[in-house]
Amino acid sequence: MAAWRGATTLGAALLPLWLTHRARLGKEDPARLGERRGAGADRPAGPLLWLHGASVGESQSALPLLEALAELRPDLHFLLTTGTLTAARLLEDRLPASLRPRVRHRFVPLDVPAHAARFLDGWRPDAAVLIESEIWPNLILAARARGVPLALVNARVSAGSARGWGRLPAVARRLFGAFGLVIAQTEEDAARLRALGAEGAQSWGNLKFAARPLPAPRAALRALREAIGGRPVLLAASTHPGEEAQVAAARAQLQERLPGLLTILAPRHPERGPALARELEEAAPGAVARRAAGDLPGPGTAFYVADTIGELGLLYRVAGVALIGGSLVPHGGQNPLEAARLGCPVLLGPHTDNFATIAARMVEEGAAERVADSGALAEAAAAVLTEPDRARSMTSAAARIAADAGALPERMAAAIEALLPEPAPAWDGIRAATATG
């Protein structure tokens, strides 16, 4: 740990240049770079719980947990940190209005001892909850040194990561042993965490099962539905390089069977939109539209590039079937339940390591189908788009799976509350009155 502290302290001198470069690329908010150095504390009075979700998936899965905690403890305020600009923007869009007065958002400080100290001394959280797999040694050990109770929830650790930590057993025990509460996604994750030093790790399930349906503005949904009309729609959601070409090849195979097919491609990184549209133009000259350019699909649109942020809820609602991106190439796949929750049948490639348990169960219970390549994608998409009973069977099975973890946020909230200081007597009275009323 001394080596990590020393390396991060020495490297801190170069971090402002790195942050400025990221800001130029649109990956940081130039006006909020101080938060990455631990500045910008604005601690509210009363108990404060710090929750951290690094990226979009983690921060969105935190929302049902946040709502459960807010209901359980009316006196509690929240500090939410994220590591990406996209996660911050989506959090701002999707945070319930009733919770906004009780929530502060900040970008997580970089893992430098001075930054961690500035952040923790400014905010003074009463407890901290890290979501999934964010292990920052300086922040964790500084929080523990200050007596801040720590929880790691919805935790996951791959076999490869476990092997890596296992090469440093003393460091792993010190870090993972710092958490007083560890709740893993699967029993495999829990076993790996116990071996690394989180002795009490247990598995309760995945918070992503309990997430709310992705939103869609009514006006935007109405406009897109009117533009599409009665055409069948194949969506490739959150795609990565190498997948769009396979989707385009599948569409070419489907032209005769589904001549009116509209293919929507939503790249995981929207900044790829212009280049992707140019590539598709070679396959379908004059038949490509881009959402970020303000286009809606017209009657002659073959490919609609949805290169915007936070609109998957809109796209899943208009699609007849969706390929979940990151699964046709070895990236590990994105969350298939986001589509399933909105009644959109799901197709998965062979690479679903990021959601292995969810994906395996969906396939086993008929809630999703596997496709290995463009040919299999074309066959499966055609079957779902032309057989309504098949589509209904898939979405019904998916809805049952998504509903299984309905009580998980409340269960986690109760465990986290045990880490917090007792509520003031006035709040005890309010909670009792609420419970009896």
Side-chain angles (χ1 to χ4, degrees):
M1 291 309 306
W4 176 253
R5 283 180 58 85
T8 53
T9 298
L10 289 173
L14 300 176
L15 290 177
L17 296 175
W18 179 71
L19 287 172
T20 301
H21 175 67
R22 282 177 55 83
R24 290 196 191 103
L25 296 176
K27 295 181 178 181
E28 300 280 348
D29 184 339
R32 298 177 62 179
L33 293 183
E35 295 174 23
R36 300 292 250 155
R37 298 188 293 274
D42 179 25
R43 194 196 193 286
L48 176 70
L49 178 66
W50 167 32
L51 296 98
H52 173 66
S55 193
V56 172
E58 295 90 338
S59 58
Q60 294 306 299
S61 66
L63 287 176
L65 176 60
L66 178 68
E67 291 178 286
L69 283 161
E71 185 173 352
L72 191 61
R73 284 288 295 266
D75 61 329
L76 191 59
H77 283 78
F78 303 92
L79 167 64
L80 264 61
T81 58
T82 61
T84 68
L85 198 56
T86 302
R89 289 170 177 165
L90 289 181
L91 194 62
E92 173 65 23
D93 288 342
R94 296 175 186 176
L95 189 66
S98 60
L99 288 181
R100 291 178 186 275
R102 297 171 61 182
V103 176
R104 308 279 202 280
H105 172 268
R106 293 293 185 272
F107 291 107
V108 70
L110 299 174
D111 199 43
V112 173
H115 299 355
R118 186 179 298 119
F119 173 81
L120 291 167
D121 291 343
W123 286 101
R124 306 184 311 282
D126 291 289
V129 178
L130 279 61
I131 298 170
E132 290 207 12
S133 56
E134 280 283 287
I135 303 297
W136 294 112
N138 290 321
L139 264 174
I140 290 169
L141 296 181
R144 185 176 187 184
R146 286 161 173 77
V148 178
L150 296 170
L152 181 63
V153 304
N154 221 43
R156 62 186 179 93
V157 57
S158 68
S161 294
R163 283 193 299 271
W165 283 112
R167 297 188 186 101
L168 300 167
V171 172
R173 283 195 301 273
R174 190 176 175 196
L175 284 174
F176 290 97
F179 293 95
L181 174 68
V182 178
I183 303 172
Q185 293 183 13
T186 69
E187 183 50 43
E188 290 81 5
D189 292 312
R192 291 175 190 139
L193 287 161
R194 287 192 294 268
L196 291 173
E199 296 180 358
Q202 50 195 312
S203 170
W204 290 0
N206 195 326
L207 265 179
K208 290 187 172 72
F209 279 30
R212 296 190 312 243
L214 296 176
R218 290 183 182 179
L221 180 59
R222 182 169 58 249
L224 186 55
R225 280 178 170 159
E226 289 175 355
I228 293 171
R231 299 175 65 183
V233 177
L234 165 63
L235 167 65
S238 297
T239 55
H240 293 256
E243 290 185 303
E244 294 93 358
Q246 295 187 65
V247 174
R251 189 192 185 284
Q253 297 174 53
L254 290 168
Q255 281 182 323
E256 289 189 10
R257 296 173 67 180
L258 295 168
L261 180 67
L262 173 65
T263 302
I264 303 177
L265 295 111
R268 176 70 173 172
H269 301 289
E271 63 271 16
R272 295 180 52 236
L276 177 56
R278 289 192 294 270
E279 293 174 14
L280 294 170
E281 277 283 348
E282 296 179 8
V288 180
R290 274 185 56 227
R291 187 162 181 80
D295 300 335
L296 285 171
T301 302
F303 295 102
Y304 188 46
V305 179
D307 50 348
T308 50
I309 292 174
E311 291 200 310
L312 281 180
L314 179 73
L315 302 177
Y316 285 135
R317 284 176 169 87
V318 300
V321 64
L323 169 72
I324 305 303
S327 66
L328 274 181
V329 294
H331 185 272
Q334 307 303 143
N335 184 359
L337 282 178
E338 291 180 340
R341 237 178 244 113
L342 294 173
C344 182
V346 169
L347 304 179
L348 297 168
H351 305 286
T352 53
D353 292 349
N354 293 341
F355 296 89
T357 302
I358 298 172
R361 184 179 173 193
M362 289 182 70
V363 172
E364 181 181 346
E365 298 186 19
E369 294 185 15
R370 293 276 189 191
V371 295
D373 51 31
S374 60
L377 172 59
E379 287 300 315
V384 175
L385 290 171
T386 59
E387 300 175 24
D389 288 344
R390 183 171 185 167
R392 279 192 293 269
S393 174
M394 292 174 70
T395 56
S396 295
R400 289 193 298 272
I401 294 171
D404 278 353
L408 184 56
E410 287 75 17
R411 187 182 179 192
M412 280 190 183
I416 291 166
E417 190 201 17
L419 303 177
L420 291 163
E422 288 292 323
W427 288 111
D428 281 342
I430 290 174
R431 183 157 58 174
T434 304
T436 57

